[in-house]
Amino acid sequence: MTAINRRRFLSTALSAALSAGLIMAMPLARAAKVNESPANVLAAWKLPSGNYQAGVIRLQPGENDRLEVIMAVDLPTRPHGLMQLLGDDYLIVARRPGDWIMRLNIRTGQTTRLWQEPDRSLNGHSAVHGNLLYTTETDLLTGQGVLGVRNARTFDLMDVWQTGGHDPHEMLVMPQGSLGLDHPFLLVANGGIRTHADMGRTPMPGKTMDSSLVALHPETGAMLKQWTLDDPQLSVRHLALHSSGVVGIALQAQHPTEAARNAAPVLAILSTENGLNALPTSTELAGYAGDIVANRVGFVISCTKADSALHFDLQGNRIGLIKAQAACALAVQGEQVLLGQQSAEVANLLELDNHWLAVQG
């Protein structure tokens, strides 16, 4: 077990003062009085050696507000998305363009790793519906976005579906009746950035973006509906579903100049009534939202390049902001939003990656 002092590796607990419509920074000791227990998160990080790990971190309130790595496993390369698969089994997906997925049991530490088929790369996120596991991917020959459809227990590949765009990233499993559709569906964020297998993550020059959200039938892959933003330079990346049925979308601007990116919104909202709309209240944030979660009031987004996290209500009003260096990973536990930030002092310990998940202690 590794104990890390909060002075060297910081995790900020955001407590939503819901009656006042505010979001406030709270020390972990005060946060514990709300939850009455430490917070455990599944996270991933890079070690000073350059190697990557994933595991469970305990945010331990107390006099020193310590963080403890209570279990960890080694990873082949940099990870990205984390997802609960079933019970204590979680899935870790390689960062795009990735070539592995790993099942991790957070109680036993047992792992199962699958290497990706050579004709497609993984794009960092996954979803599960019934017995099916879906992973967002790119066809390396055509550059088109696809979903890999696998048996959720064995990981055997069953099918490959087109996503109707390029660079699919995060997806949600949406219940029947959501967004006016009468069937459960997969909501997929097509980031729209066109790449080539020989160029890694580098966008292909001169290619028009085709960012969109698409609803796909979870059993056939048929496209049920598609939504696009007015500005094609806004890449839709991460998604969060509010209990009201409204979806929040974290955006990353791909405009050619820093000024244009800073003037671009970083949050959009998708609803049955109003469709897909970017929020003009979410500008001046360096054009980059790293992660998003929903709480009872609305959405919290982490703006990594603006060193801050913001709270919005469902109407798109800003109701809180907190400064946090390289803010990114977000998770919800009870009435709290847990935000990971990266201290400059952490360089000789570990570097927290983009996402984490609250897990049971």
Side-chain angles (χ1 to χ4, degrees):
M1 179 182 294
T2 304
I4 305 173
N5 189 282
R6 187 171 181 245
R7 291 183 57 199
R8 303 181 72 185
F9 178 72
L10 300 179
S11 172
T12 304
L14 296 183
S15 176
L18 299 177
S19 60
L22 300 174
I23 196 163
M24 302 185 300
M26 294 181 65
L28 290 176
R30 286 184 59 198
K33 294 178 183 177
V34 176
N35 287 330
E36 298 182 349
S37 64
N40 284 3
V41 294
L42 176 67
W45 56 86
K46 183 169 74 171
L47 298 169
S49 64
N51 295 327
Y52 293 94
Q53 291 184 326
V56 178
I57 292 177
R58 176 168 295 164
L59 313 182
Q60 179 68 56
E63 183 179 351
N64 296 318
D65 289 341
R66 296 196 315 170
L67 305 183
E68 297 175 323
V69 178
I70 61 176
M71 69 88 62
V73 297
D74 293 330
L75 302 175
T77 56
R78 184 174 175 180
H80 188 71
L82 309 170
M83 183 200 75
Q84 185 176 20
L85 190 58
L86 180 66
D88 292 333
D89 284 346
Y90 286 76
L91 200 70
I92 305 164
V93 185
R95 181 177 185 248
R96 66 184 176 100
D99 61 1
W100 58 267
I101 58 177
M102 179 182 286
R103 178 179 12 224
L104 167 65
N105 186 292
I106 63 171
R107 306 300 171 197
T108 67
Q110 183 178 359
T111 62
T112 304
R113 186 173 65 200
L114 171 73
W115 292 103
Q116 171 69 321
E117 292 81 6
D119 59 336
R120 304 185 315 282
S121 64
L122 294 160
N123 287 359
H125 283 278
S126 58
V128 65
H129 177 65
N131 295 321
L132 296 179
L133 169 67
Y134 312 92
T135 48
T136 51
E137 306 179 2
T138 292
D139 184 306
L140 296 180
L141 180 63
T142 66
Q144 293 291 321
V146 297
L147 292 189
V149 185
R150 294 178 169 83
N151 182 295
R153 294 188 178 274
T154 66
F155 290 173
D156 290 340
L157 184 68
M158 301 174 65
D159 209 344
V160 177
W161 298 340
Q162 298 285 326
T163 67
H166 294 81
D167 185 33
H169 201 60
E170 191 167 22
M171 65 185 133
L172 298 175
V173 178
M174 301 289 286
Q176 182 176 349
S178 299
L179 303 174
L181 298 176
D182 59 3
H183 195 283
F185 61 93
L186 303 174
L187 183 66
V188 183
N190 282 318
I193 302 172
R194 304 191 188 203
T195 59
H196 188 274
D198 295 334
M199 300 171 64
R201 294 164 58 89
T202 304
M204 294 178 64
K207 293 295 183 179
T208 302
M209 286 182 56
D210 61 349
S211 182
S212 67
L213 288 172
V214 293
L216 303 182
H217 194 290
E219 297 168 6
T220 67
M223 184 181 294
L224 305 175
K225 198 166 184 177
Q226 185 173 35
W227 300 263
T228 59
L229 290 164
D230 292 338
D231 185 350
Q233 296 299 110
L234 295 175
S235 179
V236 297
R237 308 306 300 176
H238 296 109
L239 308 172
L241 175 61
H242 190 265
S243 59
S244 66
V246 175
V247 178
I249 304 100
L251 307 174
Q252 295 176 9
Q254 302 298 309
H255 301 81
T257 67
E258 181 178 352
R261 291 191 296 272
N262 194 45
V266 295
L267 177 63
I269 286 180
L270 174 64
S271 67
T272 304
E273 297 77 16
N274 300 313
L276 178 62
N277 293 283
L279 299 185
T281 52
S282 65
T283 59
E284 307 302 321
L285 293 165
Y288 189 98
D291 202 0
I292 182 170
V293 292
N295 68 354
R296 186 156 61 89
V297 173
F299 298 100
V300 177
I301 58 171
S302 55
C303 300
T304 311
K305 297 181 180 180
D307 294 325
S308 58
L310 284 88
H311 195 195
F312 292 82
D313 65 19
L314 295 179
Q315 289 70 49
N317 301 306
R318 284 195 193 192
I319 55 176
L321 178 148
I322 183 172
K323 298 301 292 184
Q325 184 173 342
C328 199
L330 291 166
V332 174
Q333 185 179 50
E335 295 290 349
Q336 290 192 126
V337 173
L338 303 174
L339 166 68
Q341 70 169 356
Q342 194 67 47
S343 168
E345 299 168 331
V346 79
N348 63 339
L349 287 173
L350 56 84
E351 181 180 338
L352 185 69
D353 219 284
N354 291 25
H355 300 291
W356 61 11
L357 291 174
V359 298
Q360 295 298 312

